[in-house]
Amino acid sequence: MVADHRPPLRLVPPPLASTPPPTPLPVDLAQLFHEHGRYIAAVALKVLGRRDEVEDVVQEVFLNAQRGMRSLTYLDGVRGWLATITVRVARRRLRRRRIKLVFGVERDEDYLNVADRGASPEQAALLSNVYRALEKVPADDRIAWTLRYVEGSKLDEVAKLCGCSVATVKRRIAAAQVALEEALGHA
Amino acid sequence: MHELFERLERAREHLEVDWSDRDELRMLGAIERRGRRRRRARMAVAFAVPMVAAFFVLGIWARPWLGGRSGPAAPSLADAKPAAGHEAAPSRRIVRLEDGSTATLLEENSELVLSHASDSEVKFRLDRGSAAFDVVPSLTRTFSVESAGIDVIVLGTAFTVERRADSVTVTVQRGRVRVSDGGNDTVVEAGERRTFAVTDRAETGALHRGQGSETSASEEADSVGPATPAAGQDGARLRSPSSSAWRAYAEKGEFAKAYGQLTNAGHAAVHDDVQDLLLAADAARLSGHPADAIPYLRRVTIGHRRDPRAALAAFTLGRVLLTQLGSPREAALAFADAQRLAPEGSLVEDALAREVEAWYRAGSAEQAKQRSALYLRRFPAGRWAEAVRQFAGAD
């Protein structure tokens, strides 16, 4: 009798007749807000320097984000996307502020409460002086500088948030720096 | 400039925002309301433009109907700004309603929420500390303050409510109030002070309420004595530096470090209060350890069901079970619980839609269909209407 070297028969069940599952539900607002709301508020505070504007900006950001949420699934890049929206919203506010400043209808802000209660008087004074100096800097330059030196983002991250090249970011930071040196009197 | 950068690097750590779970819920509600107002405004414009065009085409001039609100304007809460003339001492924030009624927060950590405002009803909730209320009399509007399940209902009076860990004390300076603890009603008159005991049984989540003890308003001491931790919980709450480190990291969003600290410190480092439990759950799941978040989230939904954040905890639990742990049936139950915990809350639409998805993924087609039908009845033009139809196989 010839030995049978074929592998033993294996019964393979037929593939299940099923329709492909629908696309998972997109991201929902409550979860997005829970995970990223605080971070967005912190970015808004650092860019704008005014605590009383933070909540309004945060609401604006998530309202804008709601429109884009339908095409999102849960991605790691959500935080960066929200930060980009925050920068856009903040830029609009800063531009409006500068126009009001030109016409003399913007309130005089001393930025003494931009630092939280844990700051020393020297730190609170430093932050107050920096933000007062930044008032005179054009919005794009100010945002680039703030994201780099206050938020602590790397240059390529700043470029993504601002929607421009790294070279443009460097130019804007340098322009802001000149204005700050003049205002703060540092060499 | 180099020196400036060095000093700035240290100073920028003090650009933190105040952010509590209550702030989060409040802002989420504000976003939802603002979104609805915008959608209504857009619909109004979309409707108005063709109407105006039609009038021009037909040559019809119409005077728009100018409606007005009848009755007194609903009181609304100014955004916690001090009333004019009351400069902010940090422990004395005054909120003035449009009808002239005021609420004064008496302690630095007092937490007061305006939970409802309409022509016929104003309702506050005192979650912590104490507040004094001076209410303008109105026969058409009820004014109430709820604290730990105890309702103080007034028609026009001045009174103070103090919330402590195991008691609520009501002191009436003028007029009278009715205090209801869900079973018994007690009237507190001007010059009286009454304390109502509240005990939270942590194991079952049930509330036990005792009768109030009466003292005159001139007595200085609180008749119940200093606040003590609720029964079933640990007595002393000494926070050692190492057991608090995880909290500091988590609050900064450094969840991997927070999780590491929490693992070293153990579960005892997490206090049995909703804020700590949610923070610990975030540290676990957002550092890539979703299974470790489950006990914290369940603790909130079982042991703190009356807390307004319990619905969010149930919703988060559902998401973790569905998308990260592959337990769709348990997820469906969690989403259903989120709806029970806050049936009129901002999460209910999303929770119901997620529940449909979860039943589908659990292989319970009939349940998915039933819940989908409920969603479509409640939210016919809802965000997820198309998606739930697919899950229920309605197409």
Side-chain angles (χ1 to χ4, degrees):
Chain A
M1 193 156 140
V2 176
D4 190 344
H5 296 291
R6 290 173 299 176
L9 278 177
R10 194 162 53 89
L11 282 175
V12 177
L16 289 170
S18 60
T19 53
T23 316
L25 282 173
V27 169
D28 51 71
L29 174 68
Q31 201 63 17
L32 207 67
F33 192 72
H34 177 60
E35 289 181 10
H36 304 293
R38 188 190 194 133
Y39 166 73
I40 294 304
V43 171
L45 175 62
K46 285 166 187 170
V47 171
L48 292 169
R50 293 189 185 174
R51 286 185 182 271
D52 57 358
E53 292 188 10
V54 167
E55 187 165 324
D56 203 45
V57 169
V58 169
Q59 288 184 23
E60 193 66 42
V61 167
F62 281 91
L63 275 170
N64 289 347
Q66 256 191 313
R67 279 188 242 130
M69 258 165 43
R70 284 178 191 273
S71 55
L72 267 188
T73 53
Y74 232 77
L75 301 171
D76 291 332
V78 165
R79 185 166 276 209
W81 173 64
L82 289 170
T84 309
I85 300 176
T86 308
V87 167
R88 271 206 310 267
V89 170
R91 183 186 291 121
R92 278 200 297 271
R93 283 191 173 238
L94 289 171
R95 284 181 176 156
R96 276 202 299 269
R97 247 192 242 174
R98 277 179 64 80
I99 291 172
K100 284 185 186 175
L101 261 172
V102 164
F103 287 104
V105 294
E106 175 62 17
R107 70 173 198 249
D108 194 22
E109 176 69 43
D110 56 21
Y111 294 102
L112 287 176
N113 73 340
V114 68
D116 59 39
R117 284 184 214 133
S120 68
E122 293 75 20
Q123 288 169 330
L126 171 66
L127 289 170
S128 165
N129 288 339
V130 166
Y131 276 98
R132 283 171 67 93
L134 284 170
E135 283 284 281
K136 299 176 179 56
V137 176
D140 285 336
D141 300 347
R142 170 186 175 148
I143 288 171
W145 191 92
T146 314
L147 289 172
R148 179 83 179 101
Y149 292 118
V150 182
E151 168 63 10
S153 300
K154 299 194 180 103
L155 283 171
D156 57 343
E157 286 164 357
V158 176
K160 255 190 231 167
L161 292 172
C162 295
C164 61
S165 65
V166 170
T168 303
V169 163
K170 285 182 180 172
R171 207 171 48 246
R172 288 177 181 172
I173 290 175
Q177 218 136 284
V178 165
L180 282 168
E181 279 172 22
E182 227 175 85
L184 297 173
H186 287 267
Chain B
M1 205 72 179
H2 180 68
E3 191 212 329
L4 169 68
F5 289 138
E6 275 183 9
R7 289 165 56 208
L8 189 58
E9 194 159 340
R10 289 190 293 274
R12 73 184 187 197
E13 290 171 11
H14 294 288
L15 287 170
E16 293 293 330
V17 291
D18 297 325
W19 191 273
S20 68
D21 292 334
R22 284 187 180 84
D23 289 331
E24 182 180 311
L25 276 175
R26 180 177 51 76
M27 271 196 266
L28 188 60
I31 290 169
E32 296 264 340
R33 283 192 299 275
R34 208 161 142 177
R36 279 195 295 270
R37 277 199 303 269
R38 278 197 188 176
R39 283 193 289 276
R40 277 199 297 265
R42 276 201 292 267
M43 279 171 54
V45 167
F47 179 70
V49 166
M51 287 295 291
V52 168
F55 284 143
F56 273 105
V57 166
L58 293 173
I60 295 170
W61 295 94
R63 194 182 292 270
W65 176 64
L66 295 171
R69 295 183 67 190
S70 58
S76 67
L77 186 64
D79 290 331
K81 292 193 180 99
H86 294 275
E87 294 310 315
S91 58
R92 291 251 164 182
R93 288 163 285 158
I94 300 172
V95 174
R96 188 184 298 281
L97 304 186
E98 279 185 5
D99 70 342
S101 301
T102 60
T104 304
L105 305 180
L106 299 177
E107 295 169 42
E108 183 126 15
N109 67 343
S110 294
E111 288 187 26
L112 185 68
V113 176
L114 178 65
S115 45
H116 181 80
S118 68
D119 283 342
S120 58
E121 187 184 12
V122 170
K123 195 175 176 74
F124 280 99
R125 195 182 70 240
L126 181 67
D127 288 324
R128 197 192 300 182
S130 55
F133 301 86
D134 196 330
V135 180
V136 171
S138 169
L139 293 176
T140 58
R141 185 214 62 234
T142 59
F143 188 108
S144 62
V145 180
E146 184 260 320
S147 189
I150 291 169
D151 285 297
V152 183
I153 301 148
V154 303
L155 285 178
T157 187
F159 65 101
T160 304
V161 180
E162 295 166 68
R163 164 96 186 255
R164 299 291 175 243
D166 60 354
S167 67
V168 174
T169 299
V170 179
T171 310
V172 178
Q173 288 85 35
R174 190 183 70 238
R176 58 165 56 177
V177 305
R178 185 174 81 243
V179 180
S180 170
D181 65 357
N184 302 304
D185 276 15
T186 308
V187 173
V188 184
E189 307 262 9
E192 284 182 357
R193 176 179 174 156
R194 297 204 62 166
T195 299
F196 301 84
V198 174
T199 303
D200 187 351
R201 291 181 191 275
E203 292 84 2
T204 61
L207 274 173
H208 167 74
R209 294 184 185 85
Q211 276 300 312
S213 59
E214 184 176 345
T215 58
S216 78
S218 61
E219 280 188 33
E220 292 175 7
D222 183 337
S223 60
V224 174
T228 52
Q233 295 184 2
D234 292 336
R237 286 191 169 188
L238 295 171
R239 297 190 180 201
S240 69
S242 59
S243 70
S244 301
W246 75 267
R247 207 172 279 110
Y249 282 125
E251 282 165 358
K252 279 192 217 170
E254 295 179 53
F255 296 116
K257 287 183 185 166
Y259 180 76
Q261 291 287 331
L262 192 53
T263 307
N264 292 337
H267 292 303
V270 182
H271 297 120
D272 190 19
D273 61 70
V274 175
Q275 183 147 345
D276 238 31
L277 291 166
L278 288 179
L279 200 58
D282 281 351
R285 67 187 180 88
L286 296 175
S287 65
H289 306 89
D292 292 346
I294 302 298
Y296 299 121
L297 293 169
R298 286 211 189 283
R299 180 77 199 122
V300 175
T301 63
I302 293 170
H304 299 276
R305 290 187 70 79
R306 294 186 75 97
D307 192 286
R309 295 160 288 182
L312 179 64
F315 188 90
T316 307
L317 178 63
R319 282 208 64 121
V320 171
L321 288 164
L322 182 63
T323 61
Q324 294 176 279
L325 296 178
S327 302
R329 188 174 182 283
E330 284 186 73
L333 297 174
F335 287 127
D337 199 27
Q339 296 162 61
R340 274 194 298 276
L341 285 163
E344 302 301 323
S346 56
L347 289 173
V348 72
E349 184 186 347
D350 291 347
L352 182 50
R354 289 284 177 191
E355 190 193 346
V356 171
E357 181 192 4
W359 284 123
Y360 172 86
R361 294 199 186 284
S364 302
E366 195 49 45
Q367 284 277 41
K369 220 173 215 165
Q370 280 178 20
R371 300 305 278 175
S372 167
L374 175 62
Y375 178 96
L376 293 168
R377 268 201 313 277
R378 285 193 69 178
F379 309 104
R383 278 202 295 270
W384 315 124
E386 201 44 51
V388 301
R389 276 195 198 96
Q390 286 187 47
F391 282 120
D395 281 346

